[in-house]
């Protein structure tokens, strides 16, 4: 049965000095497409792509955090969006997915910090992204990457976060505002991890997970083919490769939609 896997993975400051570990994680997950955030060094991305036998495209972000996409299948076209309010970056690529045809994948990295002014900026960025997608009318598509935002109902283990982050959050009494993710949900996108799991699904930090920052969102027509979505924390290299766990979603064309969670 034809299938397709998509990976969201933050490389942590470009991945320099950790290429072997990142390559091992990519080999273990074997995605058809990988959205790489904090892909700050295009040389690292090129070498990772070569080791994985994948094509790559790299896009400059609005600041010093950049973005990339690896693909096992031909990339028909791509472009990067990195102007306010869409910061840090979104990289949209159309690939040829075997058994399915053209599929648009939008890798996204939004501003960090859970303080309200940053969440407002993320809400604005999502609005601009939705506007771009409506204009492009891409058909079935994915939005995936490090959104640095918290979904409705998700918790954050703030007591386990680094002291600096706890001090920053004390500025707003530890309150977490949830504006950006609901905007995607209201637009009809399916949170692939939450569609399959009820647990925390934390993707940050490796070794001391406290927060779910990384997401795969599917358009409704593509979400109907979702078979699994999981946090990849089961490889010995994952802790040394990055401070984020990768998130992998699997889709299959044809047959009945799976009822179980996985």
């Amino acid at each position: 049965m034809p299938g397709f896997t998509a990976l969201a993975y933050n490389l942590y400051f470009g991945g320099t000095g950790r290429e072997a570990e990142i390559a091992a994680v990519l080999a273990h997950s074997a995605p058809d497409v990988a959205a790489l955030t904090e892909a700050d060094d295009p040389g690292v991305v090129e070498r990772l792509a070569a080791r994985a036998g994948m094509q790559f495209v790299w896009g400059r972000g609005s600041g010093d955090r950049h973005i990339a996409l690896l693909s096992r299948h031909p990339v028909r076209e791509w472009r990067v969006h990195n102007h306010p309010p869409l910061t840090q970056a979104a990289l949209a690529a159309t690939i040829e997915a075997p058994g399915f045809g053209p599929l648009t994948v939008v890798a996204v990295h939004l501003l960090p910090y859970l303080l309200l002014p940053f969440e407002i900026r993320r809400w604005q960025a999502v609005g601009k992204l939705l506007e771009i997608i409506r204009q492009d009318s891409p058909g079935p598509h994915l939005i995936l990457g490090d959104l640095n935002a918290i979904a409705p109902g998700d918790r954050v283990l703030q007591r386990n976060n680094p002291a600096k982050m706890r001090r920053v959050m004390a500025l707003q009494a530890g309150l977490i505002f949830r504006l950006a993710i609901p905007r995607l949900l209201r637009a009809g996108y399916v949170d692939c991890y939450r569609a399959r799991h009820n647990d925390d699904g934390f993707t940050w930090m490796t070794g001391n997970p406290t927060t779910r920052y990384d997401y795969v969102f599917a358009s409704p027509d593509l979400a109907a083919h979702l078979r699994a979505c999981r946090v990849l924390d089961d490889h010995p290299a994952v802790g040394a490769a990055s401070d984020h766990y990768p998130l992998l979603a699997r889709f299959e064309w044809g047959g009945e939609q799976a009822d179980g969670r996985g």
Side-chain angles (χ1 to χ4, degrees), residues 23-140:
V25 173
L26 290 173
H28 172 66
S29 56
D32 289 291
V33 65
L36 304 181
T37 51
E38 293 195 29
D40 304 335
D41 185 339
V44 169
V45 174
E46 183 175 10
R47 291 188 293 273
L48 288 172
R51 293 178 72 158
M54 302 173 78
Q55 299 181 41
F56 80 96
V57 293
W58 181 87
R60 185 171 297 278
S62 58
D64 55 1
R65 302 275 80 87
H66 308 306
I67 198 162
L69 197 76
L70 308 184
S71 177
R72 295 196 185 282
H73 309 302
V75 178
R76 175 187 290 182
E77 59 183 0
W78 68 276
R79 58 176 171 157
V80 67
H81 306 275
N82 56 11
H83 298 292
L86 189 47
T87 51
Q88 302 184 46
L91 192 160
T94 302
I95 65 175
E96 292 292 336
F100 191 73
L103 178 66
T104 297
V105 178
V106 185
V108 179
H109 192 197
L110 301 183
L111 292 172
Y113 304 114
L114 297 181
L115 296 177
L116 179 58
F118 291 89
E119 181 67 359
I120 291 172
R121 293 296 301 276
R122 288 187 289 270
W123 176 83
Q124 293 171 331
V126 168
K128 182 62 176 179
L129 179 63
L130 293 174
E131 177 185 321
I132 290 169
I133 290 172
R134 283 194 295 267
Q135 291 173 350
D136 291 347
S137 300

Side-chain angles (χ1 to χ4, degrees), residues 151-229:
D154 280 11
R155 63 175 184 156
V156 177
L157 300 184
Q158 297 192 56
R159 65 183 181 277
N160 293 347
N161 277 336
K164 180 180 179 181
M165 184 173 292
R166 295 198 304 270
R167 289 194 296 269
V168 168
M169 289 303 295
L171 297 174
Q172 60 185 29
L175 295 174
I176 294 175
F177 297 91
R178 305 157 200 264
L179 305 175
I181 301 300
R183 196 164 197 178
L184 284 168
L185 298 174
R186 287 194 299 271
Y189 290 94
V190 174
D191 178 346
C192 291
Y193 187 84
R194 194 53 67 218
R196 311 295 294 172
H197 302 276
N198 295 320
D199 59 26
D200 288 314
F202 292 148
T203 60
W204 186 83
M205 302 175 290
T206 53
N208 177 30
T210 67
T211 317
R212 185 166 77 112
Y213 284 137
D214 302 271
Y215 298 83
V216 177
F217 284 98
S219 59
D221 46 2
L222 187 54
H225 302 279
L226 177 68
R227 294 298 180 268
C229 187

Side-chain angles (χ1 to χ4, degrees), residues 13-32:
F13 293 129
T16 303
R18 290 172 278 109
E19 290 181 39
E21 291 83 0
I22 295 169
V25 173
L26 290 173
H28 172 66
S29 56
D32 289 291

Side-chain angles (χ1 to χ4, degrees), residues 9 12 17-18 21-22 25 206 235-243:
Y9 199 12
Y12 185 53
R18 290 172 278 109
E21 291 83 0
I22 295 169
V25 173
T206 53
H235 190 278
V238 74
S242 174
D243 64 340

